[in-house]
Amino acid sequence: MHTDEHWMTQALALAETAAGQGEVPVGAVLVYSDELIGTGWNQPIGRHDPSAHAEVMALRDAGEQRGNYRLAQSTLYVTLEPCLMCVGALVHARVERVVYGAADPKSGAVDTCCTGFELPGLNHRVAVSAGVLADECGELLRRFFRARRG
C-alpha cells in the first residue's frame, strides 16, 4: 500500500509539468484501491479554459478511463488546496477523500478562505488531509512566481 507522501510526489511531478508549460504549478492524481486512475495539471492558459485546473483535469481523465463521472471511494492528491470550483467538482464526483499539500491563502476553499466541503445542503461529504509535503508544494509555487516576477 502506497503512502500519502508517495502519491503527493506523483502530483508534484505533474505540477512540474504545468510549470514547464508556463502554467501555475499545480498537479493532481486520483487514486482508487491504491491504483492511479487519473492525472492532471493546471492547463487553463494553454487550453483557454478557466475550468482546466489540475483537480478537474484529473477527474476528467479518471471519468474517461472508468466510463463514469462518479468516482466513489477514490482519493485525490493535489499540491495546492482546492478552490471552490474544484470543491464542487469533487463533491459531484463523489470523491471520498482529498489530500492537499500547500494551503492557498487567496482562494483555498477547503480550510483557508472557506470550508467548502462543509456547506449546508451538500449531498456528499469529503474527508480531508492537509499539509502533506506542504513545504515542497509551497516551494515549487514560490519558485515559479519568483521567476515570473523576475
Side-chain angles (χ1 to χ4, degrees):
M1 186 95 174
H2 292 98
T3 64
D4 287 348
E5 290 79 9
H6 167 82
W7 293 116
M8 190 61 74
T9 299
Q10 304 297 307
L12 272 164
L14 293 167
E16 293 279 6
T17 299
Q21 295 176 355
E23 303 276 1
V24 174
V26 179
V29 298
L30 193 66
V31 176
Y32 175 81
S33 292
D34 207 37
E35 175 189 336
L36 182 66
I37 62 169
T39 62
W41 59 90
N42 265 6
Q43 301 177 59
I45 297 167
R47 288 184 176 257
H48 312 288
D49 178 357
S51 69
H53 289 194
E55 300 93 325
V56 171
M57 300 308 292
L59 292 174
R60 288 175 182 166
D61 185 36
E64 286 180 22
Q65 288 188 43
R66 310 279 274 171
N68 194 341
Y69 75 98
R70 295 276 170 96
L71 301 164
Q73 300 175 349
S74 63
T75 298
L76 181 91
Y77 295 85
V78 61
T79 58
L80 182 65
E81 179 182 2
C83 71
L84 197 53
M85 176 188 69
C86 292
V87 163
L90 292 160
V91 168
H92 286 295
R94 306 297 193 270
V95 169
E96 182 175 324
R97 180 172 172 241
V98 168
V99 179
Y100 71 86
D104 184 350
K106 292 185 178 181
S107 62
V110 175
D111 295 311
T112 306
C113 296
C114 72
T115 51
F117 289 131
E118 297 174 19
L119 291 171
L122 294 180
N123 61 350
H124 176 71
R125 297 294 172 194
V126 177
V128 175
S129 297
V132 174
L133 300 183
D135 291 341
E136 293 88 336
C137 295
E139 181 54 34
L140 178 57
L141 287 158
R142 284 187 292 278
R143 217 174 39 235
F144 175 81
F145 285 112
R146 271 195 305 267
R148 216 166 163 183
R149 292 180 182 120

